[in-house]
Amino acid sequence: DSNISSGKCSAILGGFNNDDGGNDYTGIFGNGILATAVPGVPSAFWVDELVVPNMPAGNSTTCAPPPLLPSGGLYYVIPAGSTYKQVFVV
């Protein structure tokens, strides 16, 4: 609860009300993230409340999303000839 990153290249891996402390190159997972640094400038990774237990599959040939998936929705594709899932955002 209410963790603050201690410097560049820091990570917080859970909890809530976590703060990047204004540090660049931070990674934060959790809920209610407080962030001073601008995402992507120079580099940051934040995930707030991501739970994807039943992610739908897209088209393995075209990588198209499943029908009726809303904008911002996540889906995965296992490209033909591969065993690895690739995650996309609509």
Side-chain angles (χ1 to χ4, degrees), residues 15 28-33 46-52:
I28 302 175
F29 288 84
N31 181 299
I33 295 171
W46 304 321
V47 176
D48 191 347
E49 299 184 47
L50 176 64
V51 178
V52 191

Side-chain angles (χ1 to χ4, degrees), residues 36-70:
T36 305
V38 177
V41 182
S43 180
F45 178 71
W46 304 321
V47 176
D48 191 347
E49 299 184 47
L50 176 64
V51 178
V52 191
N54 297 307
M55 187 183 298
N59 185 296
S60 63
T61 304
T62 65
C63 296
L68 306 176
L69 191 63

Side-chain angles (χ1 to χ4, degrees), residues 4-5 18-24 26 28 33-42 44 46:
I4 300 174
S5 68
N18 297 319
D19 189 332
D20 70 359
N23 296 300
D24 299 329
T26 57
I28 302 175
I33 295 171
L34 306 172
T36 305
V38 177
V41 182
W46 304 321

